[in-house]
Amino acid sequence: AQGIEGVETHAILSNAAKRTIDLETDWTVARVEELADRCYRVNDIAAAVASGSFRASAMVVAPCSMKTLSGIANSYADNLLIRAAEVTLKDRRPLVLVPRETPLHLGHLRLLVRAAEMGAVIMPPMPAFYHRPASVGEIVDQTVNRIFDVLGIDLDEDLFRRWSGPTTDE
């Protein structure tokens, strides 16, 4: 696996995530899974990450569908992804949810509030444009870098140019 030195990654891809990778990216599921140190089947409820005794420091659900959000917010752990998120919350570890939906109706908003009240960080992938992204990839990189910031993970080199104030005295 390739990644950030000192950061071990574990991946759980739902069936919908696998389908989305196929439909919306040029990546294969296998290539995405190769990025992680360890991958788990979404229905393997006995996997290490299903237990609070597994020493994970944080979890990110990106993107987080409304179905997964609903499972997390309602503690309905019918698969490993939701169980791992539930364990992350109960053990007071950082859980970052990157919701994938727009516009949001009242039910979505209530689920987001419920997840936030339980301790999740709600982090919609809202692009910034001050760094003048030239591609979709650069927009994605900015969101990814901000997720690392929330988790306290320092990169050797940022994936985007950080805001440092206006360049002129306007």
Side-chain angles (χ1 to χ4, degrees):
Q2 64 183 33
I4 302 167
E5 188 175 333
V7 177
E8 183 177 304
T9 58
H10 296 251
I12 306 164
L13 298 178
S14 67
N15 293 331
K18 290 177 182 180
R19 184 71 173 137
T20 300
I21 290 166
D22 288 338
L23 292 171
E24 297 183 7
T25 76
D26 294 329
W27 290 61
T28 64
V29 170
R31 185 173 172 206
V32 170
E33 290 178 333
E34 287 171 4
L35 295 173
D37 293 298
R38 178 99 192 258
C39 290
Y40 303 95
R41 293 183 325 274
V42 72
N43 292 321
D44 184 4
I45 206 70
V49 295
S51 173
S53 68
F54 181 79
R55 299 194 63 170
S57 56
M59 182 174 176
V60 177
V61 181
C64 182
S65 70
M66 292 300 108
K67 178 182 178 182
T68 296
L69 170 65
S70 181
I72 293 167
N74 291 296
S75 300
Y76 185 71
D78 71 340
N79 65 42
L80 180 60
L81 175 62
I82 298 169
R83 172 61 187 164
E86 184 173 81
V87 166
T88 301
L89 288 173
K90 79 177 184 67
D91 288 347
R92 307 294 192 265
R93 298 174 183 147
L95 173 64
V96 178
L97 304 179
V98 184
R100 177 198 170 105
E101 191 67 60
T102 190
L104 299 168
H105 63 61
L106 185 57
H108 298 147
L109 295 169
R110 286 185 174 148
L111 290 170
L112 288 166
V113 167
R114 179 180 267 174
E117 289 172 340
M118 294 165 63
V121 175
I122 309 301
M123 193 170 179
M126 303 228 182
F129 295 102
Y130 60 81
H131 59 98
R132 308 282 185 192
S135 68
V136 171
E138 288 181 5
I139 294 169
V140 171
D141 284 349
Q142 187 264 344
T143 297
V144 169
N145 207 139
R146 293 290 294 127
I147 292 168
F148 290 146
D149 289 347
V150 166
L151 297 176
I153 298 171
D154 293 321
L155 301 175
D156 291 335
E157 186 175 320
D158 284 324
L159 303 175
F160 75 111
R161 183 179 53 80
R162 292 182 180 277
W163 177 250
S164 59
T167 57
T168 62
D169 293 326
E170 296 178 5

